[in-house]
Amino acid sequence: MIRLPSPRASIPYAAAAALAALLAACGSTPVASTWIGPSPEQLVSEIRAAGAAMPGELDVQPLRDPMVEDLRVRAARAERTQRYAEAAADLDKALALSPDDPGLLQERAEAAVLEKDLAKAEALARRAFGLGAKVGPLCRRHWMTIRQSLAQHQSRLMQQQAAGHMKGEVLARWEQDMAKVATDLELARRDQDGCTVSPPPRY
């Protein structure tokens, strides 16, 4: 594992403000009470399994501020005892100190999955991907998170269709939504595959 030093410059106000707006916007959306499919814990396990380093693959980790590291440790401890709201709160504090850290954003996305808020998880994972290296284990975790959010949305659409007959504009809109989520899922799968770069051949 390679650790790269990060500059100890002051946190840009714009980045912190943008992240706060993202978290606030996601938090204002009500979370659906009915959960479909595997448990949140199973989904997080799948996300982290997708982020396992491949043979010969570099897993670059930045050096973080000690306060950020302490908050990450506290969040991990809270998660182990299923105190998911506490874990999310500690990660929010860490992000206030380091709002552009892709790994930290991904950890917060996984905390959102555990809180059954896949819309927030997807938004955070997309932001993390935009700030990250676009390849490697962390990249795969971003896209697996996004795929799970899309899959949950697809399941809800299917549930809507099974709940009753749809026709006219309602059916047309439902068909459009189903087609879009299917396309988005396929694109996300391809993007996740693109995170894995084969090592150079050895001679």
Side-chain angles (χ1 to χ4, degrees):
M1 183 179 293
I2 299 174
R3 292 187 176 271
L4 300 178
S6 58
R8 298 295 296 271
S10 60
I11 300 171
Y13 173 78
L19 178 62
L22 171 64
L23 291 170
C26 293
S28 64
T29 303
V31 181
S33 58
T34 302
W35 182 267
I36 303 173
S39 70
E41 291 80 7
Q42 287 176 298
L43 296 188
V44 170
S45 293
E46 291 177 9
I47 291 169
R48 292 172 182 171
M54 303 292 185
E57 187 176 44
L58 294 178
D59 185 9
V60 180
Q61 298 289 336
L63 292 175
R64 293 186 173 97
D65 184 282
M67 290 181 64
V68 171
E69 282 298 307
D70 181 61
L71 287 164
R72 290 180 68 240
V73 170
R74 284 172 48 182
R77 188 182 303 122
E79 180 189 317
R80 285 194 296 271
T81 54
Q82 298 185 334
R83 292 176 288 123
Y84 299 140
E86 289 183 33
D90 283 332
L91 290 171
D92 284 342
K93 292 175 185 176
L95 282 168
L97 299 172
S98 185
D100 291 337
D101 183 330
L104 198 56
L105 284 162
Q106 179 58 36
E107 289 171 11
R108 182 61 182 87
E110 290 164 16
V113 173
L114 292 171
E115 290 190 297
K116 300 184 179 181
D117 192 344
L118 285 172
K120 177 183 284 188
E122 181 180 348
L124 288 163
R126 288 187 182 279
R127 174 172 167 78
F129 175 76
L131 294 167
K134 310 297 188 294
V135 294
L138 188 59
C139 176
R140 289 193 294 275
R141 284 167 65 188
H142 301 330
W143 284 108
M144 180 58 81
T145 305
I146 293 165
R147 287 175 63 188
Q148 289 174 341
S149 176
L150 292 169
Q152 182 77 189
H153 181 46
Q154 186 181 57
S155 295
R156 293 193 186 286
L157 287 171
M158 294 173 67
Q159 188 180 61
Q160 289 175 12
Q161 192 271 343
H165 297 289
M166 291 186 288
K167 57 184 179 180
E169 292 183 2
V170 173
L171 177 60
R173 186 166 56 251
W174 180 87
E175 290 174 339
Q176 290 175 355
D177 289 344
M178 280 294 290
K180 183 178 186 305
V181 76
T183 299
D184 289 346
L185 272 167
E186 176 59 20
L187 291 174
R189 184 192 64 77
R190 293 181 185 178
D191 285 330
Q192 183 178 332
D193 289 344
C195 294
T196 302
V197 179
S198 300
R202 294 185 179 181
Y203 297 100

